[in-house]
């Protein structure tokens, strides 16, 4: 079991945090069974645990069973009392500045999410209502900045990648930063850190003091992918579906690096949206890239998309191997097209309102064994619906690999069963097996990977 030094501390927010009402503070106080408190405790522990080499949320939570966080209301706002917290988050008794910022960002997002859910104007039963909800969450986090030219590049990829792949992501991030582009990732390690690290150097070279390093996460994944310290804007969305929608609404283009099941989930989500008939003419640059050594992986992922979603999906992205400068140039050109498109249609630069997202991509998917076994993985459905169900399959695998609830379900009931047509299952099985062989399912150095799924055709 993971064991680390612990510390007790009292922390106040740096700058200002909106004053919380007594009811909001009460919601967060430990009540023994309060779901809001448990959620904040989990997120706080993950943030304080930044730098851990574990990607198992259950293991991390079990390593600090006596960790507590208490919220105290005071005249000038609030104060957090941390008991048995990870000592690595402190230097000479003072909390590291980036950790403190992210800790209070988590408090902000969780309190606001809960208050919004109690707001009668929130409509989570319609596509428009869900998009409006995501908009309000991002606006409350001050992520949406009107009048700023499009320049936010979303970078997706795995947290368990090789050293060469990680170095490549830094090179791409460096080239993006030289061109004045900002970085948005899932905020964790690996591909979620590399582009930000590269961009910090090039932003410094260009004397760009306003570089943005936006991290979007959700409670179920944050413990497995604790925020990296480069993130200067952290937003915690309520679930994976809201997180994915936030990526495509605030991003102006997306780069996909090597990864595992989570990256495949994100890629399928994106392609399922872009292949919707309403988005046929909407510009949205997407690049699949990696170093020369990742060429076979990139080709395999490209072939999987062709075998399942077809050529129409493959045409929505460009594959570039081992050329960071070309990736950045292509992305910069694509974002110029996005800017022109939105100007012509008077659409906002900071939030992609024109992008059509089908409801099948918006409602939360709970990966129970029954739900995984009953996924419709056949060709007798529209292309974007097949993409949505394939996305759910990979979402379940991610849950079984790293999320606390998913890990517990696998321990209790055994592997998920994924069923479907042979022409879909066989490419899926080959891709998943390659992920296992290439150590893309979990961080190396621990026990051998035990699949949380069985593919049945």
């Amino acid at each position: 079991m993971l064991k680390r030094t612990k510390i007790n501390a009292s922390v106040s927010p740096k700058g200002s945090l909106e004053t919380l009402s007594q009811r909001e503070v009460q919601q967060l106080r430990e009540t023994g069974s309060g779901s809001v408190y448990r959620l904040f405790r989990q997120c706080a522990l993950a943030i304080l645990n930044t730098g851990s080499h574990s990607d198992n949320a259950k293991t991390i939570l079990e390593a600090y069973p006596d960790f507590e966080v208490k919220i105290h209301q005071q005249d000038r706002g609030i104060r957090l009392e941390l008991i048995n917290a990870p000592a690595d988050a402190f230097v000479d008794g003072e909390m590291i500045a980036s950790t403190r910022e992210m800790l209070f960002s988590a408090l902000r997002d969780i309190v606001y999410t809960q208050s919004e859910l109690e707001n009668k104007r929130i409509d989570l039963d319609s596509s428009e209502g869900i998009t409006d909800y995501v908009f309000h969450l991002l606006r409350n986090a001050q992520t949406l900045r009107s009048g700023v030219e499009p320049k936010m590049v979303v970078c997706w990829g795995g947290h368990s990648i090789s050293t060469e792949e990680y170095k490549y992501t830094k090179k791409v991030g460096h080239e993006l930063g030289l061109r004045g582009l900002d970085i948005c990732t899932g905020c964790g390690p690996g591909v979620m850190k590399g582009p930000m690290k590269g961009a910090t150097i090039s932003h410094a070279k260009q004397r760009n003091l306003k570089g943005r390093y936006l991290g979007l996460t959700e409670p179920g994944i944050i413990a497995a992918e604790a925020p990296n310290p480069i993130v200067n804007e952290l937003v915690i969305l309520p679930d994976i579906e809201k997180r994915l929608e936030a990526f495509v609404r605030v991003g102006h283009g997306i780069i996909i690096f090597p990864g595992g099941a989570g990256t495949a989930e994100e890629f399928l989500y994106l392609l399922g949206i872009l292949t919707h008939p309403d988005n046929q003419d909407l510009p949205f640059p997407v690049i699949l890239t990696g170093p020369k050594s990742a060429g076979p992986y990139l080709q395999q992922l490209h072939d999987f998309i062709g075998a399942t979603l077809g050529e129409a999906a493959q045409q929505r992205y460009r594959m570039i191997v081992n050329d960071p400068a070309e990736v950045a140039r292509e992305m910069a050109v694509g974002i110029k097209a996005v800017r022109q498109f939105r100007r012509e249609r008077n659409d906002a630069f900071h939030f992609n309102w024109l992008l059509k997202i089908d409801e099948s991509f918006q409602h939360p998917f709970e990966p129970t064994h029954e739900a995984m076994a009953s996924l419709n993985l056949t060709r007798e459905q529209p292309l974007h619906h097949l993409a949505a169900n394939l996305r759910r399959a990979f979402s379940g695998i991610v849950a079984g690999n790293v999320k606390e609830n998913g890990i517990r379900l696998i321990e209790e009931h055994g592997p998920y069963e994924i069923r479907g047509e042979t022409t879909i299952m066989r490419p899926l099985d080959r891709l998943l097996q390659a992920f296992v062989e290439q150590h893309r399912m979990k961080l190396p150095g621990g026990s051998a990977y035990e699949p949380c799924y069985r593919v049945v055709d």
Side-chain angles (χ1 to χ4, degrees):
M1 180 180 289
L2 182 68
K3 290 186 180 298
R4 294 167 69 186
T5 308
K6 302 173 185 178
I7 192 173
N8 296 335
S10 179
V11 187
S12 297
K14 183 179 181 180
S16 62
L17 180 74
E18 277 192 84
T19 303
L20 301 180
S21 70
Q22 290 184 344
R23 182 183 180 188
E24 288 169 333
V25 173
Q26 187 60 37
Q27 282 180 324
L28 284 164
R29 290 188 190 279
E30 182 177 10
T31 59
S33 61
S35 60
V36 178
Y37 170 79
R38 290 200 309 271
L39 182 61
F40 178 58
R41 175 185 178 273
Q42 176 181 333
C43 292
L45 179 57
I47 291 167
L48 295 167
N49 205 49
T50 294
S52 166
H53 296 290
S54 173
D55 60 353
N56 187 313
K58 179 172 172 284
T59 300
I60 293 171
L61 290 168
E62 289 176 347
Y64 298 94
D66 53 355
F67 169 69
E68 292 182 47
V69 53
K70 297 182 178 180
I71 297 91
H72 299 288
Q73 196 168 22
Q74 54 189 21
D75 291 343
R76 290 173 292 173
I78 59 170
R79 175 174 55 84
L80 298 182
E81 181 183 356
L82 306 176
I83 302 171
N84 297 315
D88 290 351
F90 297 81
V91 176
D92 297 336
E94 292 290 329
M95 181 174 286
I96 296 170
S98 61
T99 303
R100 180 163 57 171
E101 287 179 2
M102 289 190 280
L103 186 62
F104 283 95
S105 292
L107 179 63
R108 172 203 68 206
D109 292 340
I110 290 169
V111 168
Y112 186 74
T113 297
Q114 184 64 27
S115 63
E116 279 289 273
L117 288 174
E118 296 174 357
N119 193 326
K120 292 183 179 180
R121 73 165 180 79
I122 295 298
D123 173 20
L124 297 179
D125 295 323
S126 70
S127 178
E128 295 78 9
I130 293 171
T131 296
D132 186 67
Y133 179 48
V134 171
F135 172 83
H136 280 275
L137 294 174
L138 292 170
R139 188 175 68 176
N140 181 68
Q142 299 181 351
T143 299
L144 307 179
R145 301 179 183 178
S146 61
V148 177
E149 293 279 303
K151 57 179 178 178
M152 184 65 75
V153 180
V154 174
C155 295
W156 283 343
H159 68 296
S160 177
I161 57 174
S162 69
T163 300
E164 184 177 358
E165 290 170 351
Y166 176 70
K167 289 180 178 178
Y168 182 81
T169 69
K170 287 201 296 182
K171 292 177 181 178
V172 172
H174 185 265
E175 294 290 341
L176 293 171
L178 287 175
R179 290 161 176 81
L181 300 173
D182 292 325
I183 308 295
C184 172
T185 75
C187 85
V191 170
M192 291 164 279
K193 180 180 180 182
M196 289 184 172
K197 196 166 187 178
T200 58
I201 302 300
S202 52
H203 283 162
K205 288 180 179 180
Q206 297 284 27
R207 300 298 187 260
N208 179 0
L209 303 180
K210 298 181 180 180
R212 300 180 66 189
Y213 312 104
L214 174 62
L216 304 179
T217 187
E218 54 100 2
I221 205 75
I222 190 172
E225 296 176 355
N228 74 71
I230 300 173
V231 172
N232 61 10
E233 297 178 49
L234 175 68
V235 185
I236 301 176
L237 285 304
D239 53 57
I240 188 65
E241 287 77 13
K242 309 299 184 300
R243 179 197 193 195
L244 289 171
E245 179 160 355
F247 276 124
V248 298
R249 296 289 185 190
V250 302
H252 302 111
I254 296 183
I255 299 174
I256 297 159
F257 294 95
T263 304
E265 175 188 4
E266 291 164 341
F267 199 19
L268 288 163
Y269 173 90
L270 179 60
L271 293 177
I273 291 171
L274 295 181
T275 54
H276 191 286
D278 290 358
N279 296 324
Q280 183 175 354
D281 299 322
L282 185 141
F284 200 102
V286 180
I287 299 173
L288 178 64
T289 191
K292 185 177 180 180
S293 61
Y297 162 85
L298 298 174
Q299 187 62 49
Q300 189 169 26
L301 186 56
H302 177 69
D303 292 342
F304 170 75
I305 296 301
T308 55
L309 302 181
E311 187 178 353
Q314 290 177 318
Q315 291 177 345
R316 290 303 314 226
Y317 61 89
R318 182 182 172 192
M319 186 163 66
I320 300 174
V321 180
N322 201 39
D323 195 339
E326 178 62 15
V327 170
R329 282 193 295 266
E330 183 76 10
M331 181 54 62
V333 170
I335 288 179
K336 285 182 180 179
V338 170
R339 180 176 58 199
Q340 184 62 28
F341 181 85
R342 296 197 190 180
R343 276 181 173 165
E344 292 173 353
R345 288 157 181 78
N346 293 317
D347 191 30
F349 286 159
H350 56 272
F351 194 83
N352 194 349
W353 290 106
L354 293 178
L355 185 70
K356 169 65 178 179
I357 301 181
D358 190 86
E359 282 192 57
S360 58
F361 291 94
Q362 292 180 301
H363 293 292
F365 173 67
E366 186 66 32
T368 64
H369 283 70
E370 181 182 4
M372 289 288 284
S374 62
L375 288 173
N376 179 9
L377 300 177
T378 70
R379 300 186 187 279
E380 297 178 357
Q381 57 186 318
L383 186 64
H384 58 280
H385 286 175
L386 173 58
N389 284 314
L390 281 169
R391 197 281 298 180
R392 293 185 181 111
F394 280 99
S395 184
I397 294 171
V398 172
N401 283 347
V402 301
K403 294 186 180 182
E404 182 190 11
N405 290 341
I407 292 170
R408 293 190 190 280
L409 282 176
I410 300 302
E411 288 176 346
E412 293 174 9
H413 306 293
Y416 293 124
E417 284 195 354
I418 305 173
R419 302 174 178 273
E421 283 184 11
T422 300
T423 57
I424 296 174
M425 292 298 98
R426 288 186 179 175
L428 175 63
D429 196 26
R430 286 195 297 269
L431 185 67
L432 291 172
Q433 186 58 38
F435 287 171
V436 175
E437 293 170 356
Q438 297 166 17
H439 306 287
R440 298 187 184 279
M441 288 297 200
K442 62 180 295 183
L443 289 173
S447 57
Y449 175 67
E450 292 287 339
C452 63
Y453 60 88
R454 283 198 310 118
V455 177
V456 182
D457 64 46

